[in-house]
Amino acid sequence: MTFLASFIQYAVKFIVMAAVAGCGIFFGKKLRDRKDSKTAEEMTQKEN
């Protein structure tokens, strides 16, 4: 019984950490895409 409780505890921790990592990747990509589009827009305005 102790093994099962310990296993469930580690599984929940793993799921939480994976969710946090996934959110970090998702929001990091969104922020980078926003910055890249802003930079491209500024470069286009400088060319004109």
Side-chain angles (χ1 to χ4, degrees), residues 9-30:
Q9 181 181 7
Y10 281 114
V12 169
K13 284 182 183 180
F14 174 77
I15 292 169
V16 169
M17 285 190 220
V20 169
C23 287
I25 292 169
F26 177 76
F27 287 117
K29 183 170 177 6
K30 279 187 89 74

PDB file of all heavy atoms in Angstrom, residues 9-30:
ATOM      1  N   GLN A   9       1.937   9.595  -5.796  1.00  0.00           N
ATOM      2  CA  GLN A   9       2.489  10.906  -5.471  1.00  0.00           C
ATOM      3  C   GLN A   9       3.499  11.348  -6.537  1.00  0.00           C
ATOM      4  O   GLN A   9       3.453  12.478  -7.010  1.00  0.00           O
ATOM      5  CB  GLN A   9       3.159  10.856  -4.100  1.00  0.00           C
ATOM      6  CG  GLN A   9       3.731  12.181  -3.664  1.00  0.00           C
ATOM      7  CD  GLN A   9       4.408  12.098  -2.304  1.00  0.00           C
ATOM      8  OE1 GLN A   9       4.556  11.011  -1.743  1.00  0.00           O
ATOM      9  NE2 GLN A   9       4.818  13.228  -1.785  1.00  0.00           N
ATOM     10  N   TYR A  10       4.403  10.458  -6.924  1.00  0.00           N
ATOM     11  CA  TYR A  10       5.378  10.796  -7.952  1.00  0.00           C
ATOM     12  C   TYR A  10       4.726  10.995  -9.309  1.00  0.00           C
ATOM     13  O   TYR A  10       5.146  11.852 -10.088  1.00  0.00           O
ATOM     14  CB  TYR A  10       6.465   9.724  -8.036  1.00  0.00           C
ATOM     15  CG  TYR A  10       7.501   9.861  -6.960  1.00  0.00           C
ATOM     16  CD1 TYR A  10       7.629   8.890  -5.973  1.00  0.00           C
ATOM     17  CD2 TYR A  10       8.344  10.959  -6.908  1.00  0.00           C
ATOM     18  CE1 TYR A  10       8.567   9.011  -4.965  1.00  0.00           C
ATOM     19  CE2 TYR A  10       9.292  11.090  -5.910  1.00  0.00           C
ATOM     20  CZ  TYR A  10       9.402  10.120  -4.947  1.00  0.00           C
ATOM     21  OH  TYR A  10      10.336  10.251  -3.968  1.00  0.00           O
ATOM     22  N   ALA A  11       3.693  10.240  -9.603  1.00  0.00           N
ATOM     23  CA  ALA A  11       2.983  10.400 -10.877  1.00  0.00           C
ATOM     24  C   ALA A  11       2.313  11.768 -10.953  1.00  0.00           C
ATOM     25  O   ALA A  11       2.374  12.437 -11.988  1.00  0.00           O
ATOM     26  CB  ALA A  11       1.957   9.287 -11.047  1.00  0.00           C
ATOM     27  N   VAL A  12       1.700  12.197  -9.857  1.00  0.00           N
ATOM     28  CA  VAL A  12       1.056  13.513  -9.835  1.00  0.00           C
ATOM     29  C   VAL A  12       2.107  14.613  -9.987  1.00  0.00           C
ATOM     30  O   VAL A  12       1.907  15.568 -10.746  1.00  0.00           O
ATOM     31  CB  VAL A  12       0.232  13.698  -8.543  1.00  0.00           C
ATOM     32  CG1 VAL A  12      -0.220  15.142  -8.383  1.00  0.00           C
ATOM     33  CG2 VAL A  12      -0.960  12.765  -8.529  1.00  0.00           C
ATOM     34  N   LYS A  13       3.232  14.486  -9.315  1.00  0.00           N
ATOM     35  CA  LYS A  13       4.306  15.475  -9.454  1.00  0.00           C
ATOM     36  C   LYS A  13       4.810  15.534 -10.889  1.00  0.00           C
ATOM     37  O   LYS A  13       5.053  16.612 -11.429  1.00  0.00           O
ATOM     38  CB  LYS A  13       5.474  15.133  -8.521  1.00  0.00           C
ATOM     39  CG  LYS A  13       5.224  15.460  -7.083  1.00  0.00           C
ATOM     40  CD  LYS A  13       6.459  15.140  -6.251  1.00  0.00           C
ATOM     41  CE  LYS A  13       6.233  15.373  -4.777  1.00  0.00           C
ATOM     42  NZ  LYS A  13       7.425  15.061  -3.977  1.00  0.00           N
ATOM     43  N   PHE A  14       4.953  14.373 -11.512  1.00  0.00           N
ATOM     44  CA  PHE A  14       5.413  14.322 -12.896  1.00  0.00           C
ATOM     45  C   PHE A  14       4.431  15.024 -13.822  1.00  0.00           C
ATOM     46  O   PHE A  14       4.828  15.802 -14.695  1.00  0.00           O
ATOM     47  CB  PHE A  14       5.613  12.867 -13.335  1.00  0.00           C
ATOM     48  CG  PHE A  14       5.956  12.732 -14.788  1.00  0.00           C
ATOM     49  CD1 PHE A  14       7.229  13.020 -15.234  1.00  0.00           C
ATOM     50  CD2 PHE A  14       4.994  12.317 -15.697  1.00  0.00           C
ATOM     51  CE1 PHE A  14       7.554  12.904 -16.568  1.00  0.00           C
ATOM     52  CE2 PHE A  14       5.307  12.204 -17.039  1.00  0.00           C
ATOM     53  CZ  PHE A  14       6.595  12.494 -17.477  1.00  0.00           C
ATOM     54  N   ILE A  15       3.148  14.766 -13.636  1.00  0.00           N
ATOM     55  CA  ILE A  15       2.129  15.386 -14.485  1.00  0.00           C
ATOM     56  C   ILE A  15       2.125  16.903 -14.323  1.00  0.00           C
ATOM     57  O   ILE A  15       2.039  17.652 -15.300  1.00  0.00           O
ATOM     58  CB  ILE A  15       0.743  14.784 -14.185  1.00  0.00           C
ATOM     59  CG1 ILE A  15       0.710  13.328 -14.655  1.00  0.00           C
ATOM     60  CG2 ILE A  15      -0.372  15.595 -14.818  1.00  0.00           C
ATOM     61  CD1 ILE A  15      -0.487  12.545 -14.182  1.00  0.00           C
ATOM     62  N   VAL A  16       2.258  17.367 -13.078  1.00  0.00           N
ATOM     63  CA  VAL A  16       2.279  18.810 -12.827  1.00  0.00           C
ATOM     64  C   VAL A  16       3.509  19.449 -13.467  1.00  0.00           C
ATOM     65  O   VAL A  16       3.410  20.489 -14.131  1.00  0.00           O
ATOM     66  CB  VAL A  16       2.220  19.109 -11.314  1.00  0.00           C
ATOM     67  CG1 VAL A  16       2.511  20.569 -11.036  1.00  0.00           C
ATOM     68  CG2 VAL A  16       0.872  18.711 -10.740  1.00  0.00           C
ATOM     69  N   MET A  17       4.666  18.825 -13.298  1.00  0.00           N
ATOM     70  CA  MET A  17       5.890  19.377 -13.896  1.00  0.00           C
ATOM     71  C   MET A  17       5.825  19.362 -15.420  1.00  0.00           C
ATOM     72  O   MET A  17       6.275  20.311 -16.079  1.00  0.00           O
ATOM     73  CB  MET A  17       7.107  18.599 -13.417  1.00  0.00           C
ATOM     74  CG  MET A  17       7.502  18.916 -12.011  1.00  0.00           C
ATOM     75  SD  MET A  17       9.091  18.188 -11.662  1.00  0.00           S
ATOM     76  CE  MET A  17       8.841  17.621 -10.012  1.00  0.00           C
ATOM     77  N   ALA A  18       5.259  18.315 -15.992  1.00  0.00           N
ATOM     78  CA  ALA A  18       5.115  18.245 -17.450  1.00  0.00           C
ATOM     79  C   ALA A  18       4.167  19.331 -17.950  1.00  0.00           C
ATOM     80  O   ALA A  18       4.409  19.941 -18.996  1.00  0.00           O
ATOM     81  CB  ALA A  18       4.616  16.865 -17.858  1.00  0.00           C
ATOM     82  N   ALA A  19       3.105  19.597 -17.205  1.00  0.00           N
ATOM     83  CA  ALA A  19       2.165  20.649 -17.596  1.00  0.00           C
ATOM     84  C   ALA A  19       2.828  22.025 -17.529  1.00  0.00           C
ATOM     85  O   ALA A  19       2.638  22.851 -18.431  1.00  0.00           O
ATOM     86  CB  ALA A  19       0.935  20.614 -16.697  1.00  0.00           C
ATOM     87  N   VAL A  20       3.601  22.267 -16.497  1.00  0.00           N
ATOM     88  CA  VAL A  20       4.304  23.549 -16.375  1.00  0.00           C
ATOM     89  C   VAL A  20       5.311  23.712 -17.518  1.00  0.00           C
ATOM     90  O   VAL A  20       5.409  24.784 -18.128  1.00  0.00           O
ATOM     91  CB  VAL A  20       4.998  23.667 -14.997  1.00  0.00           C
ATOM     92  CG1 VAL A  20       5.942  24.854 -14.960  1.00  0.00           C
ATOM     93  CG2 VAL A  20       3.963  23.778 -13.890  1.00  0.00           C
ATOM     94  N   ALA A  21       6.040  22.651 -17.821  1.00  0.00           N
ATOM     95  CA  ALA A  21       6.999  22.708 -18.924  1.00  0.00           C
ATOM     96  C   ALA A  21       6.288  22.938 -20.253  1.00  0.00           C
ATOM     97  O   ALA A  21       6.742  23.742 -21.079  1.00  0.00           O
ATOM     98  CB  ALA A  21       7.813  21.424 -18.973  1.00  0.00           C
ATOM     99  N   GLY A  22       5.182  22.263 -20.463  1.00  0.00           N
ATOM    100  CA  GLY A  22       4.416  22.449 -21.701  1.00  0.00           C
ATOM    101  C   GLY A  22       3.900  23.870 -21.844  1.00  0.00           C
ATOM    102  O   GLY A  22       3.964  24.456 -22.927  1.00  0.00           O
ATOM    103  N   CYS A  23       3.408  24.443 -20.754  1.00  0.00           N
ATOM    104  CA  CYS A  23       2.941  25.835 -20.790  1.00  0.00           C
ATOM    105  C   CYS A  23       4.096  26.786 -21.076  1.00  0.00           C
ATOM    106  O   CYS A  23       3.942  27.752 -21.820  1.00  0.00           O
ATOM    107  CB  CYS A  23       2.265  26.203 -19.475  1.00  0.00           C
ATOM    108  SG  CYS A  23       0.649  25.452 -19.257  1.00  0.00           S
ATOM    109  N   GLY A  24       5.243  26.516 -20.480  1.00  0.00           N
ATOM    110  CA  GLY A  24       6.414  27.354 -20.736  1.00  0.00           C
ATOM    111  C   GLY A  24       6.834  27.330 -22.190  1.00  0.00           C
ATOM    112  O   GLY A  24       7.151  28.364 -22.783  1.00  0.00           O
ATOM    113  N   ILE A  25       6.818  26.158 -22.777  1.00  0.00           N
ATOM    114  CA  ILE A  25       7.171  26.036 -24.197  1.00  0.00           C
ATOM    115  C   ILE A  25       6.144  26.758 -25.058  1.00  0.00           C
ATOM    116  O   ILE A  25       6.501  27.496 -25.986  1.00  0.00           O
ATOM    117  CB  ILE A  25       7.286  24.552 -24.590  1.00  0.00           C
ATOM    118  CG1 ILE A  25       8.501  23.930 -23.901  1.00  0.00           C
ATOM    119  CG2 ILE A  25       7.369  24.379 -26.097  1.00  0.00           C
ATOM    120  CD1 ILE A  25       8.564  22.422 -23.990  1.00  0.00           C
ATOM    121  N   PHE A  26       4.876  26.548 -24.763  1.00  0.00           N
ATOM    122  CA  PHE A  26       3.802  27.161 -25.548  1.00  0.00           C
ATOM    123  C   PHE A  26       3.871  28.684 -25.499  1.00  0.00           C
ATOM    124  O   PHE A  26       3.870  29.356 -26.533  1.00  0.00           O
ATOM    125  CB  PHE A  26       2.450  26.670 -25.030  1.00  0.00           C
ATOM    126  CG  PHE A  26       1.278  27.296 -25.712  1.00  0.00           C
ATOM    127  CD1 PHE A  26       0.911  26.906 -26.982  1.00  0.00           C
ATOM    128  CD2 PHE A  26       0.530  28.271 -25.066  1.00  0.00           C
ATOM    129  CE1 PHE A  26      -0.183  27.487 -27.610  1.00  0.00           C
ATOM    130  CE2 PHE A  26      -0.558  28.844 -25.682  1.00  0.00           C
ATOM    131  CZ  PHE A  26      -0.922  28.456 -26.957  1.00  0.00           C
ATOM    132  N   PHE A  27       3.952  29.245 -24.285  1.00  0.00           N
ATOM    133  CA  PHE A  27       3.976  30.699 -24.159  1.00  0.00           C
ATOM    134  C   PHE A  27       5.292  31.289 -24.649  1.00  0.00           C
ATOM    135  O   PHE A  27       5.326  32.390 -25.194  1.00  0.00           O
ATOM    136  CB  PHE A  27       3.687  31.119 -22.719  1.00  0.00           C
ATOM    137  CG  PHE A  27       2.249  30.932 -22.336  1.00  0.00           C
ATOM    138  CD1 PHE A  27       1.885  30.050 -21.327  1.00  0.00           C
ATOM    139  CD2 PHE A  27       1.248  31.616 -22.991  1.00  0.00           C
ATOM    140  CE1 PHE A  27       0.563  29.862 -20.982  1.00  0.00           C
ATOM    141  CE2 PHE A  27      -0.086  31.441 -22.651  1.00  0.00           C
ATOM    142  CZ  PHE A  27      -0.423  30.553 -21.645  1.00  0.00           C
ATOM    143  N   GLY A  28       6.384  30.569 -24.474  1.00  0.00           N
ATOM    144  CA  GLY A  28       7.667  31.036 -25.007  1.00  0.00           C
ATOM    145  C   GLY A  28       7.633  31.135 -26.515  1.00  0.00           C
ATOM    146  O   GLY A  28       8.134  32.088 -27.102  1.00  0.00           O
ATOM    147  N   LYS A  29       7.029  30.160 -27.157  1.00  0.00           N
ATOM    148  CA  LYS A  29       6.917  30.189 -28.621  1.00  0.00           C
ATOM    149  C   LYS A  29       6.022  31.328 -29.066  1.00  0.00           C
ATOM    150  O   LYS A  29       6.329  32.017 -30.040  1.00  0.00           O
ATOM    151  CB  LYS A  29       6.380  28.859 -29.129  1.00  0.00           C
ATOM    152  CG  LYS A  29       6.314  28.788 -30.639  1.00  0.00           C
ATOM    153  CD  LYS A  29       6.009  27.423 -31.132  1.00  0.00           C
ATOM    154  CE  LYS A  29       5.849  27.301 -32.625  1.00  0.00           C
ATOM    155  NZ  LYS A  29       6.116  28.424 -33.456  1.00  0.00           N
ATOM    156  N   LYS A  30       4.910  31.540 -28.362  1.00  0.00           N
ATOM    157  CA  LYS A  30       4.021  32.645 -28.721  1.00  0.00           C
ATOM    158  C   LYS A  30       4.736  33.993 -28.603  1.00  0.00           C
ATOM    159  O   LYS A  30       4.619  34.845 -29.480  1.00  0.00           O
ATOM    160  CB  LYS A  30       2.777  32.650 -27.828  1.00  0.00           C
ATOM    161  CG  LYS A  30       1.708  31.684 -28.247  1.00  0.00           C
ATOM    162  CD  LYS A  30       0.454  31.870 -27.440  1.00  0.00           C
ATOM    163  CE  LYS A  30      -0.481  32.862 -28.006  1.00  0.00           C
ATOM    164  NZ  LYS A  30      -1.229  32.467 -29.169  1.00  0.00           N
TER     165      LYS A  30
END
